[in-house]
Amino acid sequence: MMITALVVALLCCVLIMVIGGRFLLAPKAAMAGFGVPADSLRALTSIKGVRDITSGVVPLVVLAAAGSHAFGWVLVAAAITPVGDAVIVRTNGGTLAHALSVHGVTALVLVAAGLVLALG
């Protein structure tokens, strides 16, 4: 039973990454697959809000369940999000200063704190 649950969970992880890739590569199709109109700003901001809440909750669950070592590695992995956000800012008309001061600094803090926790 544990192996089956692990396989299903790993498949879900891979599939959600595929879905995320679809949002980057085929946004109109992804929005339709999500169930909302492609031009729905409110849907996109809601998706972003839920993603950000999840991005805060998941590491805290890892900390509570597995301790600071695992928490550190999750923080390092989570740095993918602000790095991606910085790229999104730059490729959609935002300034380099904003991309780096908000998203770049966030990524740097996550990696630095994460490595201290993971390797300490």
XYZ file of all heavy atoms in Angstrom:
828
model
N 0.815 -1.198 0.000
C 0.000 0.000 0.000
C 0.864 1.270 0.000
O 0.549 2.227 -0.681
C -0.934 -0.022 1.207
C -1.990 1.044 1.149
S -3.043 0.904 -0.297
C -4.603 0.765 0.451
N 1.953 1.263 0.770
C 2.836 2.430 0.829
C 3.500 2.691 -0.522
O 3.625 3.841 -0.933
C 3.919 2.229 1.897
C 3.410 2.299 3.316
S 2.838 3.952 3.742
C 4.394 4.734 4.071
N 3.913 1.632 -1.189
C 4.557 1.804 -2.494
C 3.566 2.380 -3.496
O 3.897 3.292 -4.264
C 5.163 0.472 -2.990
C 6.352 0.096 -2.105
C 5.577 0.566 -4.456
C 6.952 -1.249 -2.394
N 2.351 1.898 -3.468
C 1.316 2.422 -4.363
C 1.071 3.904 -4.091
O 1.007 4.707 -5.028
C -0.001 1.633 -4.195
O 0.256 0.258 -4.489
C -1.078 2.162 -5.113
N 0.961 4.269 -2.837
C 0.745 5.678 -2.481
C 1.923 6.527 -2.927
O 1.733 7.648 -3.434
C 0.518 5.813 -0.980
N 3.137 6.020 -2.766
C 4.318 6.759 -3.185
C 4.339 6.947 -4.697
O 4.611 8.050 -5.192
C 5.592 6.041 -2.721
C 6.908 6.716 -3.075
C 6.994 8.116 -2.477
C 8.073 5.860 -2.607
N 4.022 5.907 -5.442
C 3.989 5.998 -6.904
C 2.930 7.002 -7.350
O 3.186 7.859 -8.211
C 3.747 4.612 -7.545
C 3.427 4.730 -9.026
C 4.961 3.715 -7.332
N 1.748 6.946 -6.758
C 0.681 7.895 -7.107
C 1.113 9.320 -6.776
O 0.933 10.242 -7.578
C -0.642 7.531 -6.385
C -1.665 8.645 -6.505
C -1.202 6.223 -6.937
N 1.711 9.512 -5.620
C 2.158 10.853 -5.223
C 3.237 11.379 -6.161
O 3.205 12.551 -6.559
C 2.667 10.820 -3.783
N 4.181 10.522 -6.529
C 5.231 10.944 -7.458
C 4.657 11.281 -8.828
O 5.068 12.267 -9.455
C 6.312 9.869 -7.570
C 7.188 9.694 -6.329
C 8.077 8.469 -6.466
C 7.996 10.937 -6.036
N 3.708 10.494 -9.286
C 3.038 10.802 -10.556
C 2.324 12.146 -10.491
O 2.370 12.927 -11.447
C 2.052 9.691 -10.932
C 2.667 8.421 -11.502
C 1.598 7.340 -11.670
C 3.352 8.703 -12.831
N 1.683 12.419 -9.366
C 1.018 13.720 -9.196
C 2.029 14.857 -9.251
O 1.758 15.905 -9.856
C 0.237 13.754 -7.882
S -1.256 12.754 -7.908
N 3.195 14.663 -8.657
C 4.233 15.692 -8.706
C 4.666 15.951 -10.139
O 4.788 17.104 -10.568
C 5.436 15.273 -7.861
S 5.131 15.287 -6.088
N 4.900 14.892 -10.882
C 5.315 15.043 -12.276
C 4.197 15.704 -13.090
O 4.454 16.627 -13.877
C 5.712 13.679 -12.883
C 5.904 13.779 -14.385
C 6.979 13.159 -12.212
N 2.974 15.269 -12.892
C 1.861 15.829 -13.666
C 1.638 17.303 -13.371
O 1.352 18.078 -14.283
C 0.588 15.022 -13.424
C 0.600 13.622 -14.043
C -0.639 12.839 -13.625
C 0.706 13.693 -15.550
N 1.779 17.732 -12.129
C 1.578 19.147 -11.832
C 2.702 19.979 -12.442
O 2.472 21.125 -12.866
C 1.401 19.413 -10.316
C 0.756 20.778 -10.082
C 2.713 19.309 -9.576
C -0.634 20.925 -10.621
N 3.898 19.407 -12.552
C 4.974 20.123 -13.243
C 4.676 20.229 -14.737
O 4.942 21.265 -15.358
C 6.322 19.440 -12.999
C 6.825 19.635 -11.579
S 8.506 19.029 -11.304
C 8.276 17.268 -11.356
N 4.090 19.194 -15.315
C 3.685 19.243 -16.726
C 2.615 20.309 -16.921
O 2.669 21.103 -17.870
C 3.192 17.855 -17.208
C 2.518 17.942 -18.570
C 4.358 16.873 -17.248
N 1.662 20.361 -16.011
C 0.615 21.381 -16.091
C 1.228 22.772 -15.983
O 0.865 23.681 -16.729
C -0.460 21.145 -15.004
C -1.266 19.886 -15.341
C -1.380 22.355 -14.856
C -2.148 19.391 -14.211
N 2.179 22.953 -15.081
C 2.857 24.237 -14.961
C 3.590 24.601 -16.238
O 3.539 25.747 -16.699
N 4.243 23.633 -16.833
C 4.917 23.867 -18.115
C 3.937 24.255 -19.198
O 4.226 25.122 -20.032
N 2.777 23.648 -19.175
C 1.737 23.997 -20.161
C 1.311 25.454 -20.005
O 1.079 26.146 -20.989
C 0.546 23.059 -20.002
C -0.524 23.236 -21.054
C -1.617 22.216 -20.865
N -2.591 22.294 -21.940
C -3.836 21.931 -21.818
N -4.280 21.426 -20.674
N -4.673 22.031 -22.829
N 1.204 25.927 -18.773
C 0.850 27.330 -18.556
C 1.912 28.259 -19.130
O 1.607 29.353 -19.584
C 0.635 27.630 -17.065
C -0.795 27.465 -16.631
C -1.242 26.256 -16.131
C -1.696 28.503 -16.736
C -2.562 26.096 -15.735
C -3.015 28.364 -16.344
C -3.456 27.142 -15.845
N 3.171 27.819 -19.124
C 4.241 28.639 -19.689
C 4.296 28.544 -21.214
O 4.543 29.543 -21.889
C 5.593 28.214 -19.107
C 5.781 28.460 -17.610
C 7.091 27.847 -17.150
C 5.718 29.939 -17.290
N 4.089 27.358 -21.747
C 4.267 27.128 -23.178
C 3.003 27.295 -24.013
O 3.083 27.655 -25.188
C 4.847 25.725 -23.400
C 6.205 25.479 -22.742
C 6.604 24.022 -22.886
C 7.263 26.406 -23.321
N 1.856 27.016 -23.429
C 0.579 27.105 -24.156
C -0.475 27.703 -23.230
O -1.409 27.022 -22.804
C 0.152 25.725 -24.655
N -0.327 28.998 -22.892
C -1.179 29.587 -21.863
C -2.676 29.569 -22.180
O -3.483 29.337 -21.278
C -0.659 31.018 -21.725
C 0.200 31.254 -22.911
C 0.664 29.930 -23.399
N -3.057 29.792 -23.414
C -4.493 29.785 -23.735
C -5.092 28.401 -23.547
O -6.170 28.261 -22.964
C -4.722 30.304 -25.156
C -4.493 31.787 -25.274
C -4.822 32.305 -26.653
C -4.525 33.803 -26.689
N -4.900 34.404 -27.936
N -4.387 27.391 -24.007
C -4.869 26.019 -23.825
C -4.895 25.652 -22.343
O -5.826 24.991 -21.879
C -3.985 25.045 -24.597
N -3.885 26.101 -21.606
C -3.832 25.804 -20.178
C -4.981 26.469 -19.432
O -5.591 25.859 -18.550
C -2.496 26.243 -19.595
N -5.269 27.716 -19.779
C -6.399 28.415 -19.139
C -7.709 27.691 -19.448
O -8.550 27.514 -18.570
C -6.460 29.871 -19.582
C -5.330 30.729 -19.040
S -5.395 30.994 -17.266
C -6.703 32.218 -17.174
N -7.874 27.272 -20.693
C -9.088 26.532 -21.066
C -9.151 25.221 -20.292
O -10.214 24.848 -19.775
C -9.115 26.285 -22.568
N -8.012 24.534 -20.191
C -7.973 23.293 -19.435
C -8.238 23.500 -17.949
O -8.774 22.625 -17.276
N -7.864 24.662 -17.458
C -8.118 25.020 -16.058
C -9.600 25.282 -15.834
O -10.118 25.096 -14.748
C -7.287 26.256 -15.690
C -7.246 26.559 -14.225
C -6.384 25.881 -13.381
C -8.056 27.542 -13.679
C -6.333 26.168 -12.023
C -8.016 27.845 -12.326
C -7.146 27.152 -11.492
N -10.266 25.741 -16.922
C -11.714 25.954 -16.848
C -12.142 27.403 -16.823
O -13.287 27.700 -16.470
N -11.240 28.320 -17.182
C -11.573 29.748 -17.183
C -11.174 30.366 -18.521
O -10.324 29.827 -19.233
C -10.879 30.497 -16.022
C -11.358 29.976 -14.669
C -9.369 30.388 -16.119
N -11.767 31.511 -18.867
C -11.384 32.181 -20.119
C -9.913 32.607 -20.102
O -9.377 32.984 -19.057
C -12.293 33.413 -20.168
C -13.412 33.130 -19.225
C -12.858 32.201 -18.182
N -9.283 32.550 -21.259
C -7.853 32.865 -21.372
C -7.539 34.298 -20.979
O -6.423 34.588 -20.557
C -7.371 32.597 -22.796
N -8.492 35.206 -21.074
C -8.228 36.614 -20.774
C -8.716 37.028 -19.383
O -8.837 38.212 -19.095
C -8.863 37.504 -21.840
C -10.380 37.381 -21.889
O -10.943 36.460 -21.255
O -11.002 38.216 -22.565
N -8.946 36.065 -18.503
C -9.473 36.373 -17.174
C -8.348 36.766 -16.214
O -7.672 35.910 -15.635
C -10.243 35.187 -16.600
O -10.657 35.473 -15.280
N -8.158 38.073 -16.056
C -7.142 38.565 -15.122
C -7.437 38.100 -13.702
O -6.538 37.707 -12.960
C -7.064 40.092 -15.177
C -6.057 40.736 -14.229
C -4.635 40.268 -14.533
C -6.150 42.246 -14.303
N -8.710 38.107 -13.323
C -9.081 37.698 -11.967
C -8.714 36.243 -11.716
O -8.222 35.887 -10.645
C -10.576 37.927 -11.729
C -11.022 37.557 -10.339
C -10.356 38.445 -9.294
N -10.763 38.024 -7.976
C -9.950 37.958 -6.932
N -8.708 38.343 -7.035
N -10.378 37.549 -5.778
N -8.915 35.394 -12.721
C -8.533 33.988 -12.561
C -7.024 33.866 -12.365
O -6.563 33.119 -11.491
C -8.985 33.170 -13.767
N -6.263 34.607 -13.156
C -4.803 34.536 -13.031
C -4.313 35.042 -11.680
O -3.417 34.449 -11.075
C -4.138 35.321 -14.157
C -4.213 34.668 -15.534
C -3.670 35.610 -16.596
C -3.462 33.353 -15.549
N -4.903 36.128 -11.189
C -4.467 36.637 -9.885
C -4.891 35.692 -8.765
O -4.174 35.550 -7.771
C -4.983 38.062 -9.618
O -6.410 38.076 -9.695
C -4.410 39.044 -10.628
N -6.015 35.019 -8.939
C -6.441 34.029 -7.943
C -5.511 32.824 -7.946
O -5.136 32.308 -6.888
C -7.878 33.582 -8.220
O -8.764 34.656 -8.077
N -5.122 32.379 -9.137
C -4.170 31.275 -9.251
C -2.872 31.659 -8.546
O -2.300 30.881 -7.775
C -3.914 30.919 -10.735
C -5.170 30.305 -11.357
C -2.719 29.983 -10.876
C -5.132 30.239 -12.885
N -2.391 32.859 -8.789
C -1.160 33.350 -8.168
C -1.292 33.403 -6.647
O -0.381 33.004 -5.915
C -0.824 34.747 -8.716
C 0.229 35.513 -7.938
C 1.623 35.243 -8.423
C 2.619 36.243 -7.854
N 3.149 35.884 -6.567
N -2.432 33.880 -6.178
C -2.646 33.954 -4.732
C -2.624 32.590 -4.076
O -1.971 32.400 -3.038
N -3.304 31.630 -4.673
C -3.317 30.272 -4.121
C -1.920 29.671 -4.169
O -1.464 29.035 -3.220
C -4.345 29.387 -4.862
C -4.194 27.926 -4.472
C -5.760 29.871 -4.587
N -1.201 29.890 -5.274
C 0.163 29.377 -5.393
C 1.045 29.953 -4.293
O 1.838 29.244 -3.667
C 0.754 29.733 -6.761
C 2.168 29.175 -6.931
C 2.944 29.859 -7.998
N 3.353 31.192 -7.555
C 4.215 31.949 -8.202
N 4.719 31.536 -9.334
N 4.540 33.134 -7.750
N 0.933 31.240 -4.031
C 1.771 31.867 -3.008
C 1.436 31.354 -1.610
O 2.339 31.125 -0.793
C 1.642 33.385 -3.066
C 2.374 33.985 -4.258
O 3.073 33.246 -4.986
O 2.246 35.205 -4.468
N 0.158 31.173 -1.325
C -0.227 30.615 -0.023
C 0.338 29.202 0.118
O 0.930 28.855 1.143
C -1.760 30.633 0.152
C -2.246 32.087 0.270
C -2.189 29.809 1.364
C -3.749 32.250 0.130
N 0.199 28.397 -0.925
C 0.734 27.037 -0.908
C 2.248 27.047 -0.739
O 2.809 26.229 0.003
C 0.349 26.293 -2.204
O -1.076 26.276 -2.306
C 0.879 24.873 -2.216
N 2.910 27.999 -1.397
C 4.367 28.103 -1.295
C 4.829 28.422 0.121
O 5.973 28.136 0.478
C 4.895 29.183 -2.260
O 4.689 28.788 -3.591
N 3.968 29.017 0.917
C 4.295 29.268 2.322
C 3.922 28.115 3.230
O 4.646 27.797 4.175
N 2.813 27.454 2.930
C 2.331 26.370 3.791
C 3.172 25.101 3.647
O 3.533 24.480 4.643
C 0.842 26.067 3.502
C 0.383 24.796 4.193
C -0.036 27.244 3.921
N 3.492 24.716 2.425
C 4.204 23.445 2.206
C 5.539 23.388 2.958
O 5.809 22.405 3.649
C 4.360 23.140 0.704
C 5.307 21.974 0.463
C 2.992 22.857 0.088
N 6.393 24.412 2.864
C 7.640 24.329 3.645
C 7.399 24.241 5.152
O 8.145 23.550 5.855
C 8.381 25.621 3.283
C 7.827 26.019 1.966
C 6.387 25.585 1.994
N 6.366 24.912 5.645
C 6.076 24.835 7.077
C 5.647 23.428 7.481
O 6.007 22.949 8.562
C 5.000 25.854 7.462
C 5.417 27.319 7.340
C 4.224 28.228 7.616
C 6.587 27.634 8.262
N 4.905 22.757 6.617
C 4.524 21.364 6.884
C 5.774 20.484 6.900
O 5.924 19.621 7.768
C 3.487 20.862 5.853
C 3.272 19.360 5.979
C 2.167 21.611 6.019
N 6.682 20.716 5.955
C 7.931 19.945 5.928
C 8.719 20.195 7.212
O 9.245 19.248 7.814
C 8.763 20.286 4.678
C 10.155 19.668 4.767
C 8.046 19.822 3.412
N 8.804 21.443 7.644
C 9.507 21.755 8.891
C 8.883 20.999 10.060
O 9.596 20.371 10.849
C 9.490 23.258 9.157
C 10.092 23.716 10.489
C 11.565 23.339 10.574
C 9.895 25.213 10.674
N 7.564 21.039 10.155
C 6.874 20.378 11.265
C 7.026 18.860 11.213
O 7.193 18.213 12.245
C 5.392 20.754 11.257
N 7.005 18.306 10.022
C 7.020 16.846 9.891
C 8.423 16.252 9.829
O 8.640 15.137 10.303
C 6.238 16.433 8.642
N 9.363 16.981 9.250
C 10.663 16.374 8.970
C 11.848 17.128 9.558
O 12.980 16.664 9.458
C 10.846 16.219 7.459
N 11.624 18.309 10.111
C 12.707 19.034 10.747
C 13.419 20.021 9.846
O 13.111 20.164 8.658
N 14.413 20.688 10.427
C 15.061 21.811 9.751
C 15.929 21.394 8.569
O 16.096 22.162 7.628
C 15.869 22.641 10.751
O 16.876 21.858 11.339
N 16.498 20.201 8.592
C 17.329 19.740 7.474
C 16.484 19.648 6.191
O 16.854 20.227 5.158
C 17.955 18.386 7.809
C 18.775 17.814 6.704
N 20.048 18.248 6.427
C 18.492 16.849 5.796
C 20.516 17.568 5.388
N 19.594 16.716 4.997
N 15.382 18.942 6.253
C 14.490 18.823 5.086
C 13.897 20.179 4.724
O 13.765 20.512 3.539
C 13.377 17.813 5.373
N 13.559 20.962 5.722
C 13.030 22.312 5.499
C 14.009 23.140 4.673
O 13.626 23.831 3.724
C 12.769 22.969 6.856
C 12.232 24.369 6.825
C 11.060 24.687 6.153
C 12.885 25.376 7.520
C 10.558 25.982 6.160
C 12.392 26.674 7.534
C 11.226 26.975 6.852
N 15.291 23.040 4.998
C 16.310 23.766 4.257
C 16.327 23.389 2.789
O 16.382 24.262 1.919
N 16.271 22.089 2.505
C 16.279 21.668 1.103
C 15.027 22.112 0.371
O 15.083 22.472 -0.810
C 16.481 20.156 0.997
C 17.886 19.765 1.307
C 18.318 18.955 2.316
C 19.069 20.192 0.618
N 19.692 18.857 2.304
C 20.177 19.599 1.267
C 19.310 21.017 -0.480
C 21.491 19.812 0.844
C 20.627 21.230 -0.900
C 21.686 20.625 -0.243
N 13.898 22.130 1.066
C 12.661 22.618 0.449
C 12.789 24.107 0.124
O 12.346 24.560 -0.940
C 11.433 22.349 1.353
C 10.209 23.095 0.875
C 11.161 20.853 1.404
N 13.408 24.872 0.999
C 13.618 26.296 0.724
C 14.510 26.503 -0.499
O 14.234 27.374 -1.336
C 14.216 27.004 1.938
C 13.325 27.094 3.173
C 14.065 27.815 4.295
C 12.004 27.763 2.873
N 15.563 25.697 -0.614
C 16.437 25.796 -1.784
C 15.628 25.503 -3.049
O 15.704 26.240 -4.040
C 17.654 24.856 -1.656
C 18.432 24.790 -2.967
C 18.562 25.313 -0.514
N 14.843 24.444 -3.021
C 14.023 24.102 -4.187
C 12.981 25.179 -4.473
O 12.703 25.501 -5.643
C 13.334 22.754 -3.962
N 12.437 25.767 -3.428
C 11.407 26.802 -3.594
C 11.945 28.061 -4.250
O 11.171 28.880 -4.765
C 10.781 27.137 -2.239
N 13.255 28.232 -4.267
C 13.856 29.404 -4.912
C 13.583 29.430 -6.408
O 13.724 30.477 -7.052
C 15.359 29.458 -4.632
N 13.166 28.298 -6.973
C 12.770 28.271 -8.383
C 11.664 29.295 -8.642
O 11.669 29.970 -9.671
C 12.285 26.860 -8.786
C 13.448 25.873 -8.745
C 11.624 26.872 -10.170
C 13.009 24.421 -8.846
N 10.740 29.432 -7.715
C 9.601 30.333 -7.916
C 10.039 31.786 -8.081
O 9.678 32.411 -9.082
C 8.573 30.181 -6.779
O 8.104 28.822 -6.775
C 7.404 31.119 -6.959
N 10.794 32.376 -7.155
C 11.159 33.777 -7.372
C 12.105 33.982 -8.554
O 12.075 35.049 -9.185
C 11.789 34.210 -6.047
C 12.168 32.963 -5.354
C 11.193 31.914 -5.819
N 12.928 32.989 -8.874
C 13.765 33.114 -10.069
C 12.867 33.186 -11.302
O 13.037 34.052 -12.172
C 14.777 31.951 -10.179
C 15.436 31.926 -11.555
C 15.823 32.053 -9.081
N 11.887 32.296 -11.363
C 10.924 32.343 -12.462
C 10.150 33.646 -12.485
O 9.906 34.222 -13.555
N 9.782 34.126 -11.313
C 9.053 35.398 -11.238
C 9.905 36.549 -11.768
O 9.399 37.442 -12.460
C 8.610 35.679 -9.802
C 7.503 34.749 -9.317
O 6.897 34.049 -10.160
O 7.251 34.725 -8.102
N 11.198 36.530 -11.470
C 12.091 37.578 -11.982
C 12.145 37.538 -13.503
O 12.099 38.584 -14.166
C 13.493 37.420 -11.393
N 12.222 36.352 -14.055
C 12.220 36.205 -15.519
C 10.899 36.713 -16.093
O 10.886 37.427 -17.108
C 12.489 34.739 -15.926
C 12.278 34.534 -17.415
C 13.895 34.321 -15.512
N 9.810 36.381 -15.448
C 8.494 36.847 -15.906
C 8.423 38.369 -15.882
O 7.934 39.003 -16.826
C 7.365 36.228 -15.055
C 7.274 34.724 -15.343
C 6.030 36.911 -15.321
C 6.445 33.954 -14.322
N 8.911 38.974 -14.818
C 8.916 40.443 -14.730
C 9.696 41.038 -15.896
O 9.223 41.938 -16.589
C 9.504 40.917 -13.369
C 9.794 42.409 -13.382
C 8.536 40.579 -12.236
N 10.899 40.514 -16.132
C 11.749 41.073 -17.199
C 11.175 40.850 -18.592
O 11.324 41.694 -19.463
C 13.153 40.465 -17.130
C 13.975 41.012 -15.996
C 14.205 42.515 -16.107
N 15.033 42.807 -17.264
C 14.849 43.843 -18.072
N 13.885 44.710 -17.868
N 15.640 44.038 -19.108
N 10.537 39.724 -18.819
C 10.025 39.428 -20.166
C 8.634 39.995 -20.408
O 8.075 39.809 -21.481
C 10.015 37.904 -20.432
O 9.231 37.251 -19.435
C 11.442 37.355 -20.426
N 8.113 40.690 -19.416
C 6.786 41.291 -19.570
C 6.786 42.778 -19.238
O 5.797 43.320 -18.752
C 5.762 40.537 -18.714
C 5.428 39.194 -19.308
O 4.602 39.097 -20.199
N 6.106 38.155 -18.850
N 7.900 43.438 -19.498
C 7.953 44.887 -19.378
C 8.413 45.442 -18.056
O 8.511 46.658 -17.902
N 8.715 44.595 -17.084
C 9.197 45.089 -15.801
C 10.668 45.434 -15.861
O 11.396 44.977 -16.741
N 11.107 46.218 -14.905
C 12.500 46.654 -14.891
C 13.406 45.604 -14.265
O 12.966 44.796 -13.431
C 12.664 47.965 -14.104
O 12.365 47.709 -12.718
C 11.765 49.066 -14.662
N 14.666 45.646 -14.648
C 15.658 44.759 -14.045
C 15.772 45.052 -12.552
O 15.885 44.137 -11.740
C 17.011 44.923 -14.739
C 18.137 44.064 -14.193
C 17.822 42.581 -14.327
C 19.448 44.410 -14.905
N 15.716 46.336 -12.195
C 15.822 46.717 -10.783
C 14.704 46.077 -9.958
O 14.953 45.555 -8.865
C 15.784 48.239 -10.637
N 13.489 46.078 -10.471
C 12.371 45.471 -9.734
C 12.540 43.954 -9.681
O 12.354 43.350 -8.618
C 11.031 45.845 -10.374
C 9.864 45.414 -9.548
N 9.324 46.204 -8.574
C 9.158 44.263 -9.538
C 8.321 45.560 -7.993
N 8.205 44.377 -8.572
N 12.882 43.361 -10.820
C 13.054 41.909 -10.857
C 14.089 41.447 -9.836
O 13.873 40.462 -9.120
C 13.453 41.462 -12.262
N 15.197 42.169 -9.753
C 16.259 41.769 -8.836
C 15.972 42.153 -7.390
O 16.231 41.371 -6.479
C 17.591 42.367 -9.282
C 18.132 41.841 -10.611
C 19.433 42.555 -10.970
C 18.317 40.341 -10.588
N 15.426 43.357 -7.172
C 15.223 43.818 -5.793
C 14.109 43.064 -5.083
O 14.154 42.905 -3.867
C 14.944 45.318 -5.762
O 13.701 45.618 -6.366
N 13.134 42.595 -5.814
C 12.035 41.847 -5.194
C 12.275 40.342 -5.326
O 12.426 39.632 -4.339
C 10.675 42.238 -5.822
C 9.552 41.374 -5.267
C 10.385 43.715 -5.578
N 12.334 39.875 -6.540
C 12.366 38.431 -6.778
C 13.767 37.853 -6.640
O 13.938 36.757 -6.096
C 11.760 38.126 -8.147
C 10.400 38.734 -8.304
N 9.314 38.292 -7.581
C 9.957 39.757 -9.075
C 8.254 39.017 -7.911
N 8.619 39.919 -8.807
N 14.768 38.571 -7.112
C 16.141 38.097 -6.973
C 16.564 38.002 -5.519
O 17.177 37.017 -5.107
N 16.231 39.019 -4.744
C 16.566 38.998 -3.312
C 15.824 37.869 -2.607
O 16.399 37.169 -1.763
C 16.276 40.372 -2.655
C 16.341 40.275 -1.141
C 17.255 41.414 -3.169
N 14.570 37.656 -2.969
C 13.809 36.554 -2.369
C 14.490 35.222 -2.651
O 14.659 34.394 -1.743
C 12.366 36.537 -2.899
O 11.733 37.778 -2.574
C 11.570 35.391 -2.299
N 14.891 35.000 -3.897
C 15.567 33.752 -4.250
C 16.870 33.601 -3.471
O 17.169 32.517 -2.945
C 15.833 33.709 -5.753
N 17.627 34.670 -3.379
C 18.898 34.643 -2.655
C 18.694 34.296 -1.182
O 19.427 33.470 -0.619
C 19.601 35.991 -2.792
C 20.990 36.101 -2.192
C 21.954 35.144 -2.883
C 21.495 37.527 -2.305
N 17.700 34.898 -0.557
C 17.411 34.619 0.857
C 16.990 33.163 1.041
O 17.441 32.489 1.979
C 16.346 35.594 1.409
C 15.837 35.157 2.770
C 16.919 37.013 1.478
N 16.126 32.668 0.144
C 15.696 31.269 0.253
C 16.877 30.312 0.127
O 17.004 29.370 0.907
C 14.651 30.946 -0.821
C 13.256 31.510 -0.604
C 12.395 31.272 -1.842
C 12.604 30.911 0.623
N 17.741 30.544 -0.840
C 18.900 29.670 -1.039
C 19.852 29.764 0.152
O 20.321 28.749 0.674
C 19.627 29.974 -2.367
C 20.961 29.265 -2.447
C 18.731 29.600 -3.545
N 20.146 30.986 0.599
C 21.085 31.150 1.710
C 20.565 30.506 2.993
O 21.273 29.690 3.621
C 21.367 32.637 1.936
N 19.339 30.826 3.369
C 18.771 30.242 4.584
C 18.613 28.731 4.434
O 18.888 27.961 5.360
C 17.425 30.891 4.902
N 18.175 28.324 3.257
C 17.993 26.905 3.006
C 19.279 26.110 3.130
O 19.313 25.036 3.746
N 20.364 26.624 2.558
C 21.637 25.919 2.644
C 22.176 25.875 4.075
O 22.727 24.859 4.495
C 22.662 26.543 1.699
C 22.412 26.267 0.209
C 23.405 27.035 -0.649
C 22.446 24.787 -0.096
N 22.005 26.956 4.799
C 22.439 26.946 6.217
C 21.690 25.851 6.991
O 22.282 25.077 7.735
C 22.231 28.334 6.872
C 22.380 28.241 8.383
C 23.205 29.341 6.281
N 20.387 25.779 6.760
C 19.581 24.760 7.461
C 19.878 23.353 6.968
O 19.971 22.411 7.756
C 18.097 25.071 7.292
C 17.598 26.323 8.018
C 16.210 26.699 7.539
C 17.623 26.124 9.518
N 20.015 23.201 5.638
C 20.214 21.881 5.071
C 21.588 21.294 5.391
O 21.732 20.096 5.593
C 20.007 21.935 3.558
N 22.587 22.164 5.411
C 23.952 21.687 5.596
C 24.450 21.820 7.026
O 25.526 21.305 7.354
C 24.892 22.433 4.638
C 24.553 22.286 3.157
C 25.453 23.178 2.309
C 24.613 20.844 2.712
N 23.679 22.527 7.860
C 24.110 22.784 9.233
C 23.784 21.693 10.201
O 23.304 20.664 9.989
